[in-house]
Amino acid sequence: MRAALLVVDIQNDFCVGGVLPACETDSLIKPVNAFVAQCASKGIHLIFTRDWHPANHTSFVNYGGPWPTHCVQGTDGAAFVSNLRVPADAEIVDKGFKPDSIGYSDFENTSLHHTLQAWGVVDVGVCGIATEYCVLANVEDALTRGYVVTVLSDLIRPIEEQAGDSEAAMEKMRRSGAYLRTSSEWLDRV
Ligand code: VGL
Ligand code: ZN
């Protein structure tokens, strides 16, 4: 199987009730669970990512960055939301662990690219949080590394700090060469 699904940062701090919640995450988890199960039954490789910061990360307001303290390694906020089903054989990739690097991408300082190459992956579908930060960064880095990348439009959620942020990110990903399709459209093609 030459396809992989990247499930980005579905963690407590980014969901309803968290410190940095994305929009409408309540309607995200069930469809992601169902889609992950469908992908698994087709043999699609599964990767779940976590934002995984040290307590002194420079993206935090206290250290001069833009964000409230979030997704600190080992805390409840950094845990996957409890109703997200993470299959036992899914690969988990952590990022953002360098204190002085913004670290939105799972391709920076991780073995993700090597893992995908070892599996022979060509197609990468991306879902999760947040559209205009970690989804965008992963999509752009995957494109740079030569993958065929599809943004799964029904299974992503933005933070939308400013109205239009999500739209702009979608347009940026499209212009960079990503396909924007629904999850079922992608599944029919891979
Ligand atoms: C993210 C803001 C800060 C994300 C991570 O996962 O999109 N956003 N850290
Ligand atoms: Zn972060």
Side-chain angles (χ1 to χ4, degrees):
M1 171 48 77
R2 289 147 65 90
L5 174 68
L6 201 60
V7 182
V8 177
D9 298 3
I10 305 189
Q11 296 164 272
N12 288 322
D13 276 343
F14 293 132
C15 292
V16 173
V19 293
L20 185 49
C23 306
E24 295 172 37
T25 57
D26 276 350
S27 62
L28 178 65
I29 314 306
K30 266 193 188 172
V32 166
N33 284 339
F35 188 64
V36 166
Q38 279 183 295
C39 288
S41 72
K42 271 188 95 164
I44 292 172
H45 300 283
L46 301 173
I47 294 156
F48 286 68
T49 75
R50 293 187 296 198
D51 208 32
W52 200 246
H53 296 310
N56 64 343
H57 196 254
T58 48
S59 79
F60 298 165
V61 170
N62 294 350
Y63 294 87
W67 303 118
T69 298
H70 66 278
C71 296
V72 174
Q73 297 165 4
T75 63
D76 187 53
F80 290 124
V81 296
S82 59
N83 56 344
L84 181 71
R85 280 192 227 119
V86 183
D89 61 348
E91 189 89 4
I92 293 174
V93 176
D94 295 331
K95 58 136 182 308
F97 44 79
K98 289 203 166 190
D100 53 357
S101 159
I102 188 80
Y104 288 151
S105 167
D106 286 276
F107 288 92
E108 279 170 32
N109 307 305
T110 73
S111 55
L112 179 57
H113 183 47
H114 282 290
T115 302
L116 293 173
Q117 285 191 306
W119 288 339
V121 166
V122 174
D123 271 287
V124 178
V126 184
C127 67
I129 300 168
T131 307
E132 66 275 53
Y133 302 105
C134 288
V135 169
L136 171 66
N138 277 308
V139 165
E140 302 227 294
D141 276 6
L143 286 167
T144 300
R145 285 161 179 77
Y147 297 100
V148 177
V149 183
T150 303
V151 184
L152 307 176
S153 53
D154 52 324
L155 298 182
I156 54 175
R157 294 292 185 272
I159 291 175
E160 195 80 345
E161 272 214 318
Q162 309 271 327
D165 283 358
S166 171
E167 273 294 319
M170 296 298 278
E171 179 58 16
K172 196 164 182 212
M173 292 188 279
R174 197 188 57 74
R175 262 190 276 127
S176 299
Y179 297 102
L180 311 183
R181 301 195 203 287
T182 65
S183 51
S184 62
E185 283 169 346
W186 181 66
L187 199 59
D188 284 345
R189 284 163 188 263
V190 292

